[in-house]
Amino acid sequence: MQVFICWIYYLPVQFHCRFLFFFFFPFNFSFFLIFLSSDHILHNWVKRAISGTYRLVFEVKKLTQLSSPFDMEVLAAAASAGAVETYKDVRNAVDSLDELRDYEKNLDKNYEKLKDEAKKLYARRSDLLVKINRDRTKQTTEECNVWMGKVKKLEKDVLALESEYEEEKRYQFKLLRLLPRSNLSKCMVEKRIDIQSCWSEGSNFVTDFLVERSAKPIKKLKAPKIKDMPSLYVIFEDILQCLKDSCVTRIGLWGRVGVGKTTIMQNLNDSEEISKLFDIVFYVNLADEGNEEKLQERVQHQIAQKLQLNSLQDRTDTKTIASRVSEKLESMRFLLLLDDVWGPFDLDDCGISENGRDSKIVIASRHRGHCREMGVDHLIRVSRLSNDEAWNLFQERLGRTLNSEFKALGLQVIEECDNLPLLIDKVARAFRRKDNILLWEAGLNKLRIWPCTKCDGMDDVFDLLRFCYEELDEDEKFCFLYGALYTEAYEICIKYLLEC
């Protein structure tokens, strides 16, 4: 047997190409092989072929040096067996090369097939989401959630393959891209098989993929009842309908200070009906006027706390927190209630973004422009209470029904409060202590004498709050001033107030 081997390294190192020539004269067989060092299967076959050929040459050389007929027969048999093994190894290397060439040649076809199968899978998911969104009182089964997660992962994989394909099209010399192109084509075939399997699994969710949504435990805020205040309750109902509308994602609630925005937001948080529509409800009060960074930080930490991401509580890296929050909310239908927003900021930087689960965000602010800058789809204005609503609220907070002697003064007090629920509530509590007409007249006069303090959105509030302050006794004033040192919505320990 005559065997000749030539192994030449191609000079440009960046291509890592090796040229192998095998000439087997008895088999009248020759071929030219190019492969990359990263192709382990083909590389191993060729290594075995080369190694076997070297052993074969060595055995032939020894055979020519022997004189004993018996030894020559044994070595001849060994050389023959080695030749057979070497041929098999070379044949396998050729088959591997043919497979690579087939994958490379069908790259474009495999890409189109992958896109077609992916479209079918996405269509099945879209049909399923339509059925899910028809009934907000039900939730998907855990099995369905797992399938949805699998589809999302496959979608990311397909996008990555599409990106690789577009990058590969930029190269002009396809011969030098044999292995990358064949590997990409092979990955597309394997991913198409995974997609077909996932599509078949989706047929299990034609029916019986929804179960009754259990009401989640609510951390109630003890919100004032608004069913007796039609002007506020109508807005509450309007927001509730928007939460059921798949076309509305962000809702803006705006109006002057004290008009009842926080009351509405707290009622949304405490609603049992709303808790059945969502997997989780967040209520975040952003009462402090601060820069965008501080607003984002507060939102992130309060959401992380409710999601029980305890390991992030002491972290200051906003990007890390946002990534974890986004990952946790990815499979949840959530409702985020942002109350008293003083300025616009980017919720995406907080990890709050559209997750394809029909999640909602409600933003309450004194300024309509802030709501618009935060991208609301539906804007609702909260106006003052009607005269009847204001009068009913005043009597409710007063704790008694007024007779005709006090009613005239009571109506004047409500007028001074400008029919604002916040002011009516505070002033009515101050008038509880006044049990004769003279004290009521004195209290009304005090309401009228305070000079106006200019402050954005607070012109109608400061003088009336000062009146409430003057009605306190000295110890109560001290506690009030101590509490004023804390920011709004801060939880103050009652024990500390008692000690002061």
Side-chain angles (χ1 to χ4, degrees), residues 427-464:
V427 172
R429 294 175 188 274
F431 271 81
R432 282 180 183 176
R433 305 177 184 182
K434 305 180 186 303
D435 54 3
N436 63 66
I437 197 68
L438 295 177
L439 292 177
W440 273 66
E441 290 176 348
L444 180 58
N445 290 330
K446 284 184 178 181
L447 280 175
R448 291 170 172 167
I449 65 174
W450 292 111
C452 182
T453 304
K454 294 296 181 182
C455 182
D456 183 24
M458 300 290 290
D459 296 349
D460 302 319
V461 180
F462 271 133
D463 47 352
L464 297 176

Side-chain angles (χ1 to χ4, degrees), residues 81-221:
V84 172
E85 291 298 320
T86 300
Y87 174 77
K88 289 181 180 179
D89 290 338
V90 173
R91 184 71 263 171
N92 287 330
V94 173
D95 292 341
S96 296
L97 179 63
D98 290 340
E99 183 181 6
L100 289 177
R101 289 294 302 161
D102 288 341
Y103 276 125
E104 188 276 334
K105 183 174 64 176
N106 295 318
L107 175 62
D108 295 333
K109 291 182 180 179
N110 289 333
Y111 173 71
E112 293 300 327
K113 290 180 180 179
L114 176 68
K115 286 178 61 178
D116 291 341
E117 293 297 332
K119 287 179 181 178
K120 286 175 57 180
L121 180 63
Y122 302 156
R124 172 157 283 182
R125 178 183 60 182
S126 298
D127 293 341
L128 195 60
L129 287 174
V130 170
K131 296 178 181 178
I132 293 171
N133 292 329
R134 283 177 185 168
D135 192 348
R136 296 287 196 282
T137 62
K138 293 185 178 182
Q139 63 184 10
T140 53
T141 61
E142 287 300 320
E143 184 182 6
C144 183
N145 291 336
V146 171
W147 184 81
M148 287 286 193
K150 187 182 295 186
V151 174
K152 191 163 189 177
K153 183 180 182 303
L154 287 172
E155 186 176 16
K156 291 181 179 179
D157 294 341
V158 170
L159 290 175
L161 290 174
E162 288 179 354
S163 178
E164 288 185 41
Y165 176 76
E166 294 299 326
E167 184 70 20
E168 196 63 44
K169 287 174 61 178
R170 296 170 53 190
Y171 294 99
Q172 296 180 354
F173 300 101
K174 294 183 179 180
L175 182 61
L176 299 180
R177 302 290 300 174
L178 170 63
L179 186 61
R181 288 173 60 85
S182 62
N183 283 343
L184 177 58
S185 181
K186 185 177 181 180
C187 287
M188 288 180 176
V189 172
E190 293 173 349
K191 193 59 61 180
R192 187 175 78 241
I193 295 174
D194 292 341
I195 290 175
Q196 290 171 340
S197 175
C198 188
W199 184 86
S200 299
E201 289 179 20
S203 61
N204 298 329
F205 306 117
V206 176
T207 58
D208 300 331
F209 60 91
L210 291 175
V211 294
E212 291 297 328
R213 184 184 296 274
S214 57
K216 303 296 185 298
I218 304 172
K219 184 180 179 181
K220 295 197 174 183
L221 302 173

